[in-house]
Amino acid sequence: MEKNILKRIFFDEHNHWNQFLLKHENKVRPIVVKEVEKFKGCGKVVNGFKLFVCEGCHDVKKVAYRCKGRFCTTCSVGESEEWSRLMSHDMFQVNHRHVIFTVDEGLREVFLLHRRLLKPMMDEAAKLLRDYFYKKTKVIPGIISGLHTFGSRVNFNPHVHMLVTMGGINAQGEYVKYDFLPFEMLRKQWQTVVLKLIRKNLNPREKKQVQSRLQAAYQNNGEGFYIHAPKQKGKIEEQLRYIGRYMRRPAIGLNRIEAYDGQNVTFTYKDKSDGQQKKETISVEEFISRLIRHIPDEQFKTIRHYGMYSRKTKGDTRKLLTKWQKEVKKWIVRIGSKLKRRNWREKFLAAKQPDPLRCPKCDNCYIYKGEVCLQEGVLTIRVALCDNTRNYLERVIHYFTSQQTTQKEKQKQINYYQGTSNIRMSIV
């Protein structure tokens, strides 16, 4: 499928997104509308760009701004890769486990209807492991927690992925290893924690509505809610990068969308009940409904840090462990090296793609000349390094503005004729 298949599904000539909004406008969260609109304009030069000019043949290159939205698949994939790269370098170089906390299938809708429960769920999962490590060895582990709300079929399935150090720091500032997790005990404890969390955070009327679900979740899970924590193999940094990408991945990858015929979408998924790769075809309306459920609320953090990785204590922890590792000659904290975020060109080169600032016509370099951005919805020159650049950018802005005005007038005419034809049909 083409790169912008998701945009085509939402915004093509069938106008599925606008129709969805008209039908469900009272149910769609404002943050969803905001993020989808950002996604719609992502990568379009009419919403802002940087200008580069070839120093040899003077070819002009406009590099559009990205939306960096939480719904945009293109931006989230790139951000996921960059975040995992930085994280794997910054974390303590000790053994970690990838721990996954799930909830009963019957409780998923409870978390969907009461999204305020998602943060306490993340906090309680981390607290459960912290308490266990402290009880056993008097150490505080490092935990990075990531919330996934999606299953393989893009259904709402809230669960918590955690990177957990197999050990922790004690009161003396020493790192102590501990590589055992009692799954049977943790599963029962996690079940109790989740059921108490729901009852604690819902009012009497809400609790009455979900009481049958809570009882079924207790009765149908005699061994507790499922917890998965496979032991990782291989180099520590590669483990962390792989798990990091997994924690930040989008709800659906574009490579999973196999077909779109204007009314239905076909995508692939892995059925965990039998391990088989399968296909599912659903209406566009259902597809959109499933996708937008996974857009987090405004300011909600899907990645959180606890214990040794807590933002409040991480600096002090690093100092203590740096001093300790010099004494015992065990290097678990990187000293004097810190990765910087890569810019868009560096990401291209790291992926072994052609240099985007090398002119394909004359093989000279593109030079940055200026940029245009949106300010309160109006295209404005942000930087112009010379008068020629400013004049050129002014002409580009004028062209884009006139084009948008023409398109709006055409859309008004289309809406008018559609409205009059509907009136005639109703009269007939």
Side-chain angles (χ1 to χ4, degrees), residues 107-271:
L107 298 180
R108 295 172 185 174
E109 190 172 345
V110 176
F111 285 92
L112 175 60
L113 295 174
H114 307 284
R115 302 180 74 98
R116 65 181 184 275
L117 299 174
L118 294 173
K119 180 186 180 300
M121 181 174 73
M122 297 177 71
D123 294 340
E124 290 295 338
K127 183 177 183 301
L128 184 61
L129 287 182
R130 277 196 60 177
D131 291 348
Y132 169 73
F133 274 89
Y134 193 79
K135 180 180 179 181
K136 288 296 179 181
T137 57
K138 302 298 180 185
V139 300
I140 299 175
I143 300 173
I144 297 179
S145 180
L147 176 70
H148 281 189
T149 56
F150 49 86
S152 58
R153 297 173 59 198
V154 207
N155 54 309
F156 196 82
N157 177 15
H159 53 286
V160 182
H161 290 260
M162 291 195 289
L163 265 173
V164 184
T165 57
M166 286 294 96
I169 188 170
N170 62 18
Q172 290 74 44
E174 304 167 332
Y175 184 81
V176 179
K177 293 183 179 180
Y178 187 76
D179 194 11
F180 176 71
L181 293 175
F183 291 107
E184 291 184 5
M185 182 186 75
L186 291 175
R187 288 183 63 170
K188 288 299 295 182
Q189 289 182 349
W190 175 235
Q191 181 187 43
T192 302
V193 164
V194 171
L195 296 178
K196 283 185 177 180
L197 180 153
I198 294 174
R199 291 191 176 97
K200 179 182 177 182
N201 287 277
L202 299 186
N203 61 41
R205 181 180 61 82
E206 292 169 337
K207 278 190 285 190
K208 187 176 181 180
Q209 293 174 344
V210 302
Q211 184 59 35
S212 60
R213 291 178 180 269
L214 298 178
Q215 291 176 346
Y218 178 77
Q219 294 172 357
N220 297 338
N221 296 274
E223 297 180 355
F225 294 161
Y226 184 65
I227 296 177
H228 185 54
K231 288 189 176 182
Q232 270 70 51
K233 297 180 181 180
K235 294 181 180 180
I236 290 174
E237 190 166 345
E238 288 304 313
Q239 294 174 17
L240 299 181
R241 289 191 68 175
Y242 169 76
I243 300 170
R245 288 194 299 270
Y246 190 86
M247 289 173 67
R248 287 290 295 262
R249 70 187 179 96
I252 188 170
L254 296 183
N255 61 329
R256 288 177 55 198
I257 303 176
E258 290 216 335
Y260 165 61
D261 62 5
Q263 299 301 324
N264 297 292
V265 178
T266 300
F267 63 91
T268 61
Y269 69 96
K270 185 176 181 180
D271 191 337

Side-chain angles (χ1 to χ4, degrees), residues 73-96:
T73 306
T74 303
C75 292
S76 59
V77 168
E79 180 60 26
S80 172
E81 172 65 32
E82 186 66 7
W83 179 83
S84 66
R85 183 182 75 92
L86 297 174
M87 182 196 68
S88 63
H89 189 271
D90 191 47
M91 291 173 68
F92 303 127
Q93 300 303 294
V94 298
N95 188 34
H96 288 68

